[in-house]
Amino acid sequence: MQRIYVHPLPVRIWHWINALGFVALILTGVQIRYVDLFDVMSFKNAVQLHNWIGFVLIGNFFVWFFFYLFSDKIKVYHPELSPLKHFRGSLRQLQYYGYGIFRGDPNPHHVSAYDKFNPLQSMAYPIIMLLLVPLQFVTGVLLWDLKHFSGAVEFFGGVRVVDTVHVLLFIFFTAFVLVHPYLASLAHTPLAHFKAMITGYEEVEEESAARPPAS
């Protein structure tokens, strides 16, 4: 095994703040939505906590955004230039997750400093980070002050539409928070990826580590 520095400190800080923040948003969101079923805290306190955590995560998002925007690490989000190659890579990754991993097959994706996402992740993460996360933040801010943002709320179809989008994204991110740790455990050891997100170093096979960075 060789250790490769894959996760810079700003990314690790963003990741753990984001992870803890989204869990807190989910819990307070459930308390707000189902106030008659749960009595962990008062409705008022749940709303205030939910709002403050939301603003912290909005600021945290811009830490992630500007770090990648102004560093060479933006290469990890570059899409595969060959659609056919990317399609084949996605199929291999699906086959690996579907049954290859249960047979002990090696992961078809080889991590490097500038190629840390497998083909499925490289499709999903830009959509999540550049569309779904900002959309969740926007709908959350609109719902935070309906009176002040009444014009924008009406422009997007009214409170019912904005709230529905916010709740649907809440469901998606809840599922993501549950699935993400499982997928992260599918390394050569169950805690390898978690450890890497603390230290910054991924452990990879010697042959994989020798591969040149993706351009």
Side-chain angles (χ1 to χ4, degrees), residues 76-88:
V76 304
Y77 281 95
H78 283 179
E80 174 60 58
L81 296 179
S82 170
L84 181 59
K85 182 179 178 181
H86 190 84
F87 177 74
R88 289 173 176 170

Side-chain angles (χ1 to χ4, degrees), residues 60-112:
N60 193 48
F61 171 82
F62 284 103
V63 171
W64 169 88
F65 181 78
F66 286 117
F67 171 78
Y68 277 110
L69 187 63
F70 294 109
S71 76
D72 64 344
K73 294 298 183 180
I74 190 64
K75 293 178 182 179
V76 304
Y77 281 95
H78 283 179
E80 174 60 58
L81 296 179
S82 170
L84 181 59
K85 182 179 178 181
H86 190 84
F87 177 74
R88 289 173 176 170
S90 298
L91 284 182
R92 286 194 297 270
Q93 202 66 38
L94 282 171
Q95 290 172 348
Y96 170 73
Y97 283 139
Y99 65 90
I101 191 172
F102 302 107
R103 302 191 309 173
D105 293 346
N107 192 328
H109 177 69
H110 304 282
V111 174
S112 70

Side-chain angles (χ1 to χ4, degrees), residues 80-149:
E80 174 60 58
L81 296 179
S82 170
L84 181 59
K85 182 179 178 181
H86 190 84
F87 177 74
R88 289 173 176 170
S90 298
L91 284 182
R92 286 194 297 270
Q93 202 66 38
L94 282 171
Q95 290 172 348
Y96 170 73
Y97 283 139
Y99 65 90
I101 191 172
F102 302 107
R103 302 191 309 173
D105 293 346
N107 192 328
H109 177 69
H110 304 282
V111 174
S112 70
Y114 293 93
D115 188 24
K116 66 178 182 178
F117 297 136
N118 67 49
L120 296 178
Q121 292 171 323
S122 68
M123 286 192 300
Y125 283 173
I127 294 174
I128 293 172
M129 292 304 302
L130 297 177
L131 177 62
L132 300 186
V133 168
L135 186 57
Q136 183 74 327
F137 289 156
V138 169
T139 55
V141 170
L142 295 180
L143 293 171
W144 167 65
D145 194 339
L146 290 171
K147 182 178 180 180
H148 186 78
F149 297 111

Side-chain angles (χ1 to χ4, degrees), residues 169-186:
L169 287 171
F170 156 79
I171 295 171
F172 170 81
F173 285 116
T174 300
F176 183 86
V177 166
L178 295 174
V179 172
H180 187 64
Y182 165 72
L183 294 178
S185 70
L186 304 180

